[in-house]
Amino acid sequence: MSGFTKIIQKDLDKLESSIDDLLSTRVGYIKEIVTYIIKSGGKRVRPVLVMLCSKLCGYRGKKHIPYAAIIEFIHTATLLHDDVVDNAKTRRGLSTVNTVWGNEPSVLVGDFLYSRSFELMSRDGNTEILKTISQVTTALSEGEILEIIKTADLGTTEKDYYEIIGNKTAVLFGAACEIGAILGGRTANERKALRNFGYNLGIAFQLMDDVLDYTSYNDVLGKHVGTDLKEGKVTLPLIYVLNSAGEKERASIESALAKQRITKQDFNRIRRMIEKKGGIAYTMDATKKHLDMAKKRLDIFPASQYKTALLELADYMLKREM
Ligand code: FPP
Ligand code: MG
């Protein structure tokens, strides 16, 4: 991602071979699909968090590497499921698994990654980590379902939105950081601080995701821009505009959200409206606020190269283009 991963570069290299080892299966078909998605150039943000937080907490063992892999497996499982739900065509600049192999393999390989993660965690037997991750996967499913319920709902409030993204994205970031504190044997207070750091970072990550869905370009983003509107997702840039929209603007958004096939013109019209009315600036501002909240949670940790790296990672969230 950037300079802040340099201090864990060796561990990141080990992560890649650990991913290969931990995903061994006698079913070649699974191997083929799993390799396609997991080696497709993901940013490894969540594994980086596991590693930096483990080191921040003074952990000197080797378990942070398989746990980083497990967090990436769970994340990948959610993407395989999410791309079916969203009927997504591209991710990370490649055709999605559902496009290449179909919906069934995408869901089932997601199940494989998810089950393998729990198999690996129960083998290690750390009940604190198991408890944390099982709560998180429940929340992920709740978040995704809350989002479906709110599809094309113009009455979606900021509170609804934050509940959705908190569950579907931020809790996994929180858990990635908390694992570091658990491995490092830290106090309940330090665990909570790292969980909150990760949670706020995750909120910021999703806010940026929802900004980029309106402002970026397919080639840069590696996935189709405009998917949220097309899928009827009422995200913060749109919620902000809806709150101040007149009768005519509201009707125009409503008709775009309700359409089965939204045109390029529809999207560009709404994109311009969101930019002009300040929906992008408002969401960027919310991103900054959550990053500040995240960084504040690191105050209780003494200065170290790992703390500096985590603060830099937080700043990267605002600059990321994919
Ligand atoms: C991406 O959001 C989706 C998520 C972050 C969560 C997906 C969760 C599930 C499918 C349910 C739980 C599944 C398991 C295996 C526990 P997005 O669609 O806004 O992002 P995108 O633009 O990258 O697709
Ligand atoms: Mg999606």
Side-chain angles (χ1 to χ4, degrees), residues 251-304:
S252 134
I253 296 171
E254 192 163 20
S255 83
L257 278 171
K259 269 190 188 171
Q260 286 290 349
R261 283 185 155 270
I262 181 169
T263 63
K264 189 110 196 94
Q265 287 88 326
D266 286 328
F267 174 66
N268 282 332
R269 182 167 43 83
I270 291 185
R271 179 197 334 229
R272 276 195 299 273
M273 191 194 298
I274 286 176
E275 296 238 3
K276 207 174 112 211
K277 294 253 166 190
I280 298 301
Y282 181 75
T283 310
M284 294 288 286
D285 193 49
T287 310
K288 282 187 204 125
K289 282 186 182 135
H290 282 89
L291 290 175
D292 286 342
M293 282 195 266
K295 290 199 248 179
K296 204 103 205 75
R297 303 316 297 248
L298 296 186
D299 281 354
I300 62 165
F301 295 92
S304 72

Side-chain angles (χ1 to χ4, degrees), residues 54-112:
S54 301
K55 304 271 183 191
L56 177 84
C57 292
Y59 180 67
R60 296 281 172 266
K62 292 191 178 124
K63 287 187 181 178
H64 60 302
I65 295 171
Y67 275 115
I70 288 166
I71 291 292
E72 190 68 4
F73 296 163
I74 292 173
H75 166 58
T76 310
T78 71
L79 294 185
L80 286 169
H81 287 184
D82 179 68
D83 283 341
V84 171
V85 173
D86 288 349
N87 193 20
K89 302 290 175 230
T90 57
R91 178 172 294 284
R92 298 170 179 164
L94 296 172
S95 296
T96 50
V97 169
N98 46 302
T99 308
V100 181
W101 284 274
N103 283 346
E104 294 88 342
S106 194
V107 169
L108 295 171
V109 172
D111 290 345
F112 170 82

